[in-house]
């Protein structure tokens, strides 16, 4: 309990069952019991709390705009930023390999740990207490959001560009996956039939590789470099 006392102060929540917090901070590289199940639970509750907050805060916003705002708040990079602000990285339990490679600073590990901590708080208390914690951690980001400030992602922009010209939608094809599980690099092709164009994008996940490819396709289209 003492080794997480500082963390609980930063979180603004005191655990009744400190074993839940310990489990939430235990990465799968340690072996045995880890935070993956809590991460699954936390992912669902974070999405619910943020969606509810946006629904209440922006009564005039349409579904698409609220979806983009939610995506900007619950994406891995944002969750990792919040995890850093909460100093989760200083308390993670990692296997030796992850520890040596700087896993306590890796965005994906931090984001997963954040979701696991949320899941742990839910199990240790209730939905209302969990909601108060999450909204407190996201308060500044929620305050800064205004309608129209969140841009559509590249895949959405490309789709709308093509639909607006009655062209077929793009097709994304996974070309390769390289590297170890925690350092994978995905290569994806984005194929357009009209205008005829093929570009390739890369990223640490298939989703990010597709976004990268869509960004490149938009740049080519805007520059008429076909």
């Amino acid at each position: 309990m003492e080794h997480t006392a500082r963390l609980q102060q930063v979180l603004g929540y005191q655990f009744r069952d400190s074993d839940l917090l310990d489990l939430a901070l235990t990465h799968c590289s340690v072996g045995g019991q880890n935070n993956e199940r809590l991460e699954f639970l936390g992912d669902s509750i974070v999405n619910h709390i943020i969606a509810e907050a946006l629904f209440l805060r922006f009564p005039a916003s349409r579904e698409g705009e609220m979806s983009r705002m939610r995506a900007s708040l619950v994406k891995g990079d944002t969750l990792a930023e919040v995890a850093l602000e909460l100093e989760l990285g200083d308390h993670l339990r990692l296997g030796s390999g992850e520890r040596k490679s700087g896993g306590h600073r890796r965005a994906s590990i931090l984001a997963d740990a954040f979701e696991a901590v949320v899941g742990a708080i839910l199990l240790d208390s209730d939905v209302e207490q969990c909601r108060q914690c999450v909204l407190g951690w996201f308060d500044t980001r929620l305050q800064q959001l205004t309608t129209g400030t969140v841009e559509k992602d590249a895949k959405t922009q490309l789709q709308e560009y093509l639909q607006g010209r009655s062209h077929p939608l793009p097709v994304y094809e996974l070309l390769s996956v390289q590297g170890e599980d925690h350092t994978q690099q995905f290569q994806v092709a984005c194929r357009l039939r009209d205008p005829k164009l093929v570009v390739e994008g890369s990223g640490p996940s298939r989703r990010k590789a597709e976004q990268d490819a869509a960004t490149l396709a938009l740049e080519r289209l805007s520059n008429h470099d076909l």
Side-chain angles (χ1 to χ4, degrees), residues 35 66 151 170 177 184 199 216:
N35 64 7
M66 288 191 296
E151 291 186 3
V177 182
Q184 285 185 330
V199 295
L216 294 173

Side-chain angles (χ1 to χ4, degrees), residues 15-205:
F15 276 82
R16 291 191 289 267
D17 182 359
S18 60
D19 289 343
L20 277 171
L21 178 57
D22 288 340
L23 184 60
L25 298 170
T26 303
H27 187 253
C28 60
S29 59
V30 173
Q33 287 195 319
N34 57 67
N35 64 7
E36 289 181 330
R37 283 172 54 83
L38 286 174
E39 173 201 337
F40 167 81
L41 181 61
D43 174 69
S44 297
I45 194 69
V46 169
N47 272 275
H48 170 79
I49 291 170
I50 295 300
E52 180 185 46
L54 293 171
F55 181 87
L56 296 173
R57 186 178 291 271
F58 300 102
S61 290
R62 299 176 68 86
E63 182 271 341
E65 186 169 29
M66 288 191 296
S67 293
R68 290 192 295 275
M69 288 191 285
R70 181 182 60 180
S72 74
L73 291 173
V74 303
K75 65 182 180 180
D77 290 344
T78 303
L79 298 186
E81 289 174 4
V82 178
L84 282 172
E85 293 166 6
L86 296 173
E87 303 176 7
L88 293 188
D90 296 341
H91 301 273
L92 290 176
R93 294 180 59 213
L94 304 168
S96 59
E98 285 291 356
R99 197 164 52 247
K100 291 175 182 176
S101 64
H104 64 288
R105 295 187 301 273
R106 186 168 295 120
S108 59
I109 291 178
L110 287 168
D112 291 347
F114 173 81
E115 291 176 336
V117 167
V118 173
I121 291 175
L122 178 66
L123 294 181
D124 194 63
S125 56
D126 54 37
V127 173
E128 184 54 38
Q129 179 64 64
C130 193
R131 180 183 289 108
Q132 290 179 20
C133 288
V134 172
L135 292 181
W137 301 332
F138 278 87
D139 181 62
T140 300
R141 289 173 172 83
L142 284 166
Q143 295 288 349
Q144 291 173 344
L145 273 182
T146 58
T147 55
T149 58
V150 179
E151 291 186 3
K152 296 177 182 178
D153 63 73
K155 287 181 66 177
T156 301
Q157 291 182 51
L158 178 59
Q159 178 175 314
E160 292 182 353
Y161 176 95
L162 295 170
Q163 286 178 325
R165 292 160 176 77
S166 299
H167 294 324
L169 294 180
V171 175
Y172 296 91
E173 177 188 354
L174 179 63
L175 300 177
S176 66
V177 182
Q178 298 178 339
E180 302 296 327
D181 286 346
H182 60 284
T183 57
Q184 285 185 330
Q185 193 71 5
F186 292 74
Q187 193 76 16
V188 167
C190 174
R191 304 182 187 277
L192 278 59
R193 280 195 293 154
D194 184 15
K196 194 169 183 60
L197 174 67
V198 179
V199 295
E200 294 183 10
S202 60
S205 69

